[in-house]
Amino acid sequence: MTNTSFDLVDIIRTLQKKRRFIIIMTLVAIVLGCLFLVIRHKKYKGAATFFVNNPLYGDRSTLFRSEEMRYVDYFGGDDEVDKIMALANSDTVRDRIIRNCQFQEIYKNDINDPNGHAALMSIFSKNFNIKRTEYKDVQVSYIDRDPVIAANVANMSVKVLEETYRHYYTAMKLNIYTSINDKVIQLDSAINTLTDSLANLRDKFGIYSLISPARHDIINGDMKAGGKGYGKAVEQIQNIESIKDQLVIDRAHYISNLNEFDATTNKSMEFLKVITRALPPTSPTGPGVDSVIILAAFIGLAFSSIYVLLITYFHKLNSVVR
């Protein structure tokens, strides 16, 4: 059996011998790369960058602190950025973005049809991107043939993310607000009932002195003996007044809490801070002319060289007498 060798010297000689073919194939690859640049659709990338604010600065305990202030970083940490990333990848947020940006008119699909809606969501997912950096800022981008659409979708993404992220916290505060407000309504009803009872007792027995034991600073000895049942009426008034006074104090405290929670849900508090707003890009995204030419030349050179070496090697194998 004859051993067939194909060493480095044979490789170099083969490449030198077929250099004309290799050069032609490389030039053809460059021409195809240039043709690709001419016929490809230009796409533009709109990008916006923002920081995530620390939601604790909008918390009631920070705005209306009753104790010494503890240091709270203005910028959100990794946990807050993780929440933003999760929201950006959720179908709820993406659905709001495509509806606000009128995707059904841009890409000519019926958003109310399940297939059309799925197609629009697929288009958005393919062209949308969100990433974080080591500086804890977040960048959202969108690619489209129209630079204005690309910038508008990127800016709308930031707006929807801010609204959704803020609503996550304000919704819980509004639930607390509603619970406390319901309690205030109950207290109003109870106080009105106690007020009517006190008014009837005072008018019936002529007792108009302040005799509530809850009012420690008031000492009133002006009461005079009345008719039968007068003593019991005094005791009843004291009992009712003590309960009413406590309910009035509680009501005032609840109203104070309502005002505090109402302040923490104000829309002027932004949870995302945009540092770079998306503007319509002036140059298309993707590889440039130089990159395409270099890549095409490399592919043409590598392909033609490997092709020549394989063909030569197989011819050499076939020429061996077995």
Side-chain angles (χ1 to χ4, degrees):
M1 180 177 178
T2 304
N3 292 328
T4 302
S5 63
F6 196 72
D7 54 15
L8 181 60
V9 175
D10 294 327
I11 292 175
I12 295 175
R13 287 177 179 177
T14 302
L15 293 177
Q16 288 179 343
K17 185 178 179 181
K18 299 293 184 178
R19 62 181 179 274
R20 181 181 178 86
F21 174 78
I22 294 174
I23 293 174
I24 292 175
M25 291 298 295
T26 302
L27 292 176
V28 170
I30 293 176
V31 171
L32 292 176
C34 294
L35 183 62
F36 166 76
L37 288 174
V38 174
I39 65 175
R40 73 167 179 171
H41 294 291
K42 293 183 179 180
K43 292 186 177 182
Y44 298 87
K45 180 179 180 180
T49 307
F50 59 88
F51 279 115
V52 181
N53 296 335
N54 193 337
L56 291 179
Y57 263 96
D59 190 71
R60 168 175 167 262
S61 60
T62 304
L63 292 178
F64 303 95
R65 58 186 184 275
S66 57
E67 300 178 357
E68 60 179 280
M69 180 179 178
R70 299 184 177 224
Y71 175 75
V72 179
D73 193 359
Y74 283 99
F75 296 95
D78 291 332
D79 291 340
E80 285 71 32
V81 177
D82 289 340
K83 294 181 179 67
I84 290 295
M85 300 294 290
L87 289 174
N89 291 307
S90 66
D91 290 340
T92 302
V93 170
R94 296 190 172 195
D95 178 74
R96 284 190 58 192
I97 295 173
I98 67 174
R99 290 181 184 276
N100 292 351
C101 293
Q102 302 296 317
F103 267 40
Q104 66 273 17
E105 298 179 4
I106 297 174
Y107 299 106
K108 308 303 179 184
N109 271 304
D110 186 4
I111 198 171
N112 296 317
D113 179 70
N115 294 328
H117 183 268
L120 294 176
M121 291 287 283
S122 177
I123 293 173
F124 179 84
S125 299
K126 182 174 66 175
N127 297 295
F128 177 78
N129 184 48
I130 181 170
K131 62 181 180 180
R132 63 201 295 177
T133 71
E134 65 273 16
Y135 304 107
K136 294 184 180 181
D137 62 319
V138 181
Q139 183 187 77
V140 294
S141 61
Y142 188 79
I143 298 176
D144 193 84
R145 297 180 184 178
D146 189 334
V148 176
I149 293 176
N152 289 341
V153 174
N155 290 325
M156 180 57 68
S157 301
V158 178
K159 181 180 179 182
V160 173
L161 278 173
E162 197 280 331
E163 292 175 351
T164 307
Y165 184 59
R166 174 157 44 88
H167 180 265
Y168 177 81
Y169 291 97
T170 57
M172 291 187 291
K173 297 175 184 178
L174 288 174
N175 291 336
I176 298 174
Y177 181 94
T178 302
S179 177
I180 297 176
N181 190 59
D182 291 343
K183 193 62 181 177
V184 170
I185 295 174
Q186 295 177 8
L187 290 177
D188 286 338
S189 177
I191 291 172
N192 290 334
T193 301
L194 294 175
T195 300
D196 292 339
S197 299
L198 283 172
N200 292 332
L201 285 173
R202 290 180 181 277
D203 291 338
K204 181 178 179 180
F205 293 95
I207 304 174
Y208 299 103
S209 301
L210 300 178
I211 56 177
S212 174
R215 306 182 187 185
H216 304 288
D217 296 333
I218 299 177
I219 301 176
N220 193 328
D222 190 33
M223 291 181 297
K224 297 180 179 179
K228 184 178 180 180
Y230 185 85
K232 184 177 181 181
V234 171
E235 295 299 327
Q236 288 178 339
I237 290 175
Q238 289 189 86
N239 293 336
I240 295 175
E241 276 194 349
S242 64
I243 297 174
K244 178 187 172 184
D245 287 346
Q246 186 59 49
L247 294 183
V248 170
I249 294 172
D250 292 343
R251 181 179 179 275
H253 179 65
Y254 290 159
I255 291 176
S256 176
N257 288 337
L258 286 177
N259 291 331
E260 293 181 5
F261 280 109
D262 184 59
T264 60
T265 58
N266 194 291
K267 292 183 178 180
S268 62
M269 293 185 180
E270 295 184 350
F271 281 60
L272 301 182
K273 180 61 179 178
V274 178
I275 56 177
T276 302
R277 183 175 173 81
L279 297 175
T282 56
S283 57
T285 187
V289 177
D290 296 338
S291 300
V292 171
I293 292 176
I294 293 174
L295 181 61
F298 175 78
I299 293 175
L301 179 64
F303 174 78
S304 58
S305 299
I306 295 174
Y307 176 79
V308 166
L309 293 175
L310 288 175
I311 293 299
T312 303
Y313 180 70
F314 283 123
H315 284 170
K316 193 171 184 179
L317 287 176
N318 293 332
S319 65
V320 175
V321 180
R322 297 178 180 269

